[in-house]
Amino acid sequence: MSEKILQVKDLTVSFSSYAGQVHAVRDISFDLCRGETLAIVGESGSGKSVTTKAILGILPGNGTIEGGEILYNGMDLAKCSDKEFESVRGKKISLVFQDPLSALNPIMKIGKQIMEALVLSKAATKGEAKERALELMRRVGIPQPEIRFNQYPFQFSGGMRQRIVIAIALACNPEILICDEPTTALDVTIQAQILELINEIKERNNLSIIFITHDLGVVANVADRVAVMYAGKIVEFGRSEEIFYDPKNPYTWALLSSMPDLDTKEQLFSIPGTPPNMLHPPAGDAFHERNQYALKIDTREAPPFFKVSDTHYAATWLLDPRAPKVEPPRVLRERIERMKRRAAEHAGQ
Amino acid sequence: MIKYIAQRVLALLITLFIILTIAFLVIRLMPGSIYDSNEMLSADMVKILEDKYHLNDPLLVQYRYFLEDILLHWDWGTSVAVQPRVPVWEVLASKIPITLQLNFVSLLISLPIGILAGIFAAIYQNTKVDYTISFFVVVFISVPSFIFATVLQYFLAYKLGWFPIIYNATATGAAKYLSMILPITALSFSPIARVTRYLRGELIENLSSEYMLLARTKGLTRLQATVRHSMRNSFVPLANIIIPMFTNILTGSLVVEQIFSVAGVGGLLVESINSSDHTLTIAILIFYSMISLLTILIVDLSYGIIDPRVRIGGGSNG
Ligand SMILES: Nc1ncnc2c1ncn2[C@@H]1O[C@H](COP(=O)(O)OP(=O)(O)OP(=O)(O)O)[C@@H](O)[C@H]1O
Ligand SMILES: [Mg+2]
């Protein structure tokens, strides 16, 4: 594996609220290699956005990093001061938001919003910054950038706005791009275009990407590796093929089964129950209440990571040598077979 | 933009016309005649006088005379009771400067103070600073200005003797300004509180907005992002509350002027109504309406200049 550009170790984040401590992210570790796309997948509320906010040092006032390290370029972002963070935020690590409609300042010209960071950090003169902004707009596929430069967000469609948000994120030439559900707010055809754009930019700029989503269908097209998150913890991670073709954690099974499938008319599976309340995360394996494969031990003790391969780990007691042998549900096995066949056909063409 | 301005001006004229009509009707429908107060007239003489001035014609006919005079000759009539035979605008003109001075100064000092207090309350949200400011906001908004006027007059002027008890129209220079301080202060509490409350709300919302987050993640410092995005965006809707604020000051001024014996428009309005000086009352009403409408116009236009969605969208896009 190539050089690790970002390492998150034992990160724990919680929020103080009137009801008590919200344990949003609990002791997660992962790393990002240079030039790869790492997808973080999980249901709403699993702590994906909180993780990105911690990495970028923009947790809201009531949130604190309780422990752990975020290592980037010899710095520990979990402990660095506001001042130190300024050299990283936007310049080395940037963020693409979920909702491009609200992410742009409604009363500031698009061009100015792209240039702003460059000019304010004195990285470029106004003229240079404008050149760069126009070039970025061209690169993210905005037609007639000279005209668009002087327009306001309300004059852009949702997909165009997301392209602008991407251009803004790229303005200072960052090394790492975090995309927090960049396509969730867009309709399907636009989604595909934006994903393509992100892939293309990644190649050109040699970016490393953390791609956050709750939609595994999107992941297959972009990710080299996948981390599955549930209730503030990572429950399985591995290379993309490993997660798709050989998932081990029952939560991953559930996620894969609930993925919409255009080929079959089969009833869409939805995971029973709701994600736990993070004020009082359940003891043991947080998923056990919704898990038909739960073992007795799951109610008491959280599973450690079991190694499946050098790159593939899963936190589930089912992988313990003493556990009964359990196969993924039949629907999922059939689905995996179909996916494999289709991939083979693609490769054969 | 020109179309936008033309639309607004047209709307203003129409509104003014409607107000003029309503003012005319309401005042003419009030009981009593302008000759009521003159005890030395026989019934015949009143009849002759009333006929001479068409006061016994149907209301619509009277309204036509009234409009014709205004539109064709720009003749708004003369005062009949307060300052007989003096054109109404002259009577009014002698009272306007002091009232406007008090009201505009009050508006001008309220804005920066309110803005600063609002910014502090928002940035130090849910701290002692915020709670203290919010407490005063509640007090200032709920207590009417004439109470403040009375309290200030009693303690600062009467008990402590720091200021003159009433407005001193004859004094010049420092003494005059000194006597203006209390009425202006009394008028300013409520507008300050309104600006503070509004800006605090706006700013808190903008500070937690997504584009504020984007501003930070693209590499702006917290201060840069706050000033260039949150604050800038909070000031735009501020223009909206200047209208109710200014009308608030104007109406407050009607009473506060009385308390400090300021010979301004407020006193004149009360006097003209009491003495059935209809033409003067109408002129004063039109004057107040005109000021409010102009404020609205200015605010509307500035809104168009500040907010691109209004300026460019023209309503088509949002
Ligand atoms: N400011 C906050 N105060 C209190 N709790 C918070 C705050 N922000 C997030 N949380 C809690 O943290 C948990 C994780 O939230 P997060 O936004 O990371 O979810 P997510 O995985 O990004 O979900 P989604 O797919 O909906 O974006 C949730 O339970 C949420 O309620
Ligand atoms: Mg999220």
Side-chain angles (χ1 to χ4, degrees), chain A residues 89-90 103 105 113 116 152, chain B residues 214 217-218 228-229 233 311:
Chain A
R89 207 186 283 125
N105 186 334
Q113 298 196 47
E116 201 179 20
Y152 291 89
Chain B
L214 179 75
T217 59
K218 77 184 178 190
R228 299 174 60 95
H229 292 269
N233 289 32
R311 186 175 63 227

Side-chain angles (χ1 to χ4, degrees), chain B:
Chain B
M1 190 66 200
I2 292 185
K3 190 175 149 221
Y4 182 70
I5 296 176
Q7 276 173 356
R8 294 291 129 168
V9 173
L10 189 70
L12 180 144
L13 290 178
I14 294 174
T15 318
L16 205 58
F17 176 75
I18 295 173
I19 292 175
L20 187 67
T21 310
I22 294 176
F24 177 85
L25 290 180
V26 168
I27 284 170
R28 281 302 150 92
L29 290 176
M30 283 201 305
S33 151
I34 50 174
Y35 300 108
D36 280 354
S37 55
N38 200 329
E39 310 282 347
M40 297 303 159
L41 290 174
S42 69
D44 288 345
M45 289 164 79
V46 170
K47 173 90 173 54
I48 293 168
L49 281 169
E50 286 185 346
D51 280 346
K52 176 167 185 247
Y53 294 113
H54 308 288
L55 291 178
N56 292 320
D57 291 2
L59 212 50
L60 264 181
V61 178
Q62 291 190 38
Y63 182 56
R64 209 190 73 215
Y65 285 123
F66 174 73
L67 274 191
E68 272 177 8
D69 282 347
I70 291 173
L71 294 180
L72 301 181
H73 314 292
W74 196 245
D75 179 1
W76 289 78
T78 60
S79 164
V80 290
V82 177
Q83 289 182 35
R85 281 186 297 284
V86 180
V88 283
W89 290 114
E90 259 173 53
V91 181
L92 197 52
S94 64
K95 309 281 186 180
I96 289 174
I98 179 60
T99 294
L100 279 196
Q101 251 176 38
L102 294 180
N103 294 354
F104 269 115
V105 173
S106 161
L107 184 69
L108 286 184
I109 60 171
S110 305
L111 280 175
I113 297 178
I115 287 173
L116 273 183
I119 291 176
F120 269 99
I123 288 182
Y124 296 104
Q125 190 196 352
N126 295 337
T127 64
K128 283 201 181 103
V129 181
D130 181 25
Y131 295 144
T132 313
I133 292 178
S134 298
F135 170 76
F136 282 106
V137 164
V138 172
V139 174
F140 288 176
I141 285 189
S142 41
V143 179
S145 55
F146 62 85
I147 304 271
F148 286 119
T150 321
V151 170
L152 288 175
Q153 193 178 43
Y154 181 76
F155 286 104
L156 299 188
Y158 175 68
K159 283 282 182 191
L160 294 171
W162 292 352
F163 300 94
I165 291 178
I166 58 168
Y167 171 68
N168 188 344
T170 53
T172 49
K176 179 172 169 178
Y177 294 126
L178 195 65
S179 68
M180 284 168 73
I181 290 181
L182 289 189
I184 290 175
T185 314
L187 284 175
S188 301
F189 284 118
S190 152
I192 289 175
R194 279 162 186 257
V195 175
T196 306
R197 184 178 61 173
Y198 198 78
L199 196 68
R200 176 182 180 274
E202 280 294 320
L203 198 52
I204 284 176
E205 200 183 315
N206 282 321
L207 279 172
S208 57
S209 69
E210 289 273 301
Y211 59 79
M212 179 69 185
L213 265 193
L214 179 75
R216 299 215 56 210
T217 59
K218 77 184 178 190
L220 270 58
T221 64
R222 188 188 295 270
L223 182 68
Q224 285 169 337
T226 306
V227 174
R228 299 174 60 95
H229 292 269
S230 296
M231 285 198 192
R232 184 165 173 265
N233 289 32
S234 307
F235 287 159
V236 171
L238 194 62
N240 270 341
I241 61 155
I242 291 182
I243 307 162
M245 229 174 79
F246 192 64
T247 9
N248 182 263
I249 298 180
L250 282 177
T251 45
S253 187
L254 291 180
V255 184
V256 171
E257 282 178 22
Q258 301 281 319
I259 293 173
F260 289 100
S261 302
V262 180
V265 183
L268 191 65
L269 178 64
V270 176
E271 204 183 333
S272 76
I273 294 176
N274 283 341
S275 59
S276 292
D277 198 339
H278 297 334
T279 42
L280 189 57
T281 311
I282 290 181
I284 296 172
L285 289 180
I286 293 298
F287 167 73
Y288 271 110
S289 314
M290 197 61 204
I291 296 231
S292 309
L293 290 174
L294 279 179
T295 335
I296 296 176
L297 180 71
I298 293 169
V299 166
D300 263 4
L301 293 183
S302 60
Y303 208 65
I305 291 167
I306 309 169
D307 192 332
R309 283 164 297 187
V310 178
R311 186 175 63 227
I312 302 169
S316 63
N317 231 328

Side-chain angles (χ1 to χ4, degrees), chain A residues 44 48-49 52-53 95-103 158 161-162 165 178-186 194 212-214, chain B residues 210 214:
Chain A
S44 190
K48 307 176 303 277
S49 296
T52 62
K53 285 182 181 158
L95 180 63
V96 174
F97 283 82
Q98 170 168 353
D99 183 5
L101 298 183
S102 53
R161 284 190 223 190
Q162 193 59 298
V165 172
I178 304 179
C179 304
D180 189 352
E181 310 209 24
T183 58
T184 307
L186 306 172
I194 296 288
I212 309 252
T213 180
H214 60 249
Chain B
E210 289 273 301
L214 179 75

Side-chain angles (χ1 to χ4, degrees), chain A residues 15 22 24 43-50 60 62 98 181 214 278:
Chain A
F15 294 95
V22 180
E43 275 171 292
S44 190
S46 53
K48 307 176 303 277
S49 296
V50 172
N62 62 337
Q98 170 168 353
E181 310 209 24
H214 60 249
M278 296 313 285

Side-chain angles (χ1 to χ4, degrees), chain A residues 115-137:
Chain A
M115 291 165 49
E116 201 179 20
L118 280 171
V119 176
L120 287 182
S121 63
K122 305 207 169 59
T125 64
K126 268 218 163 114
E128 290 164 4
K130 177 162 184 186
E131 275 312 305
R132 172 128 181 88
L134 289 173
E135 182 206 318
L136 280 166
M137 288 172 77

Side-chain angles (χ1 to χ4, degrees), chain A residues 61 100 108 136 155:
Chain A
M108 191 185 271
L136 280 166
Q155 293 167 298

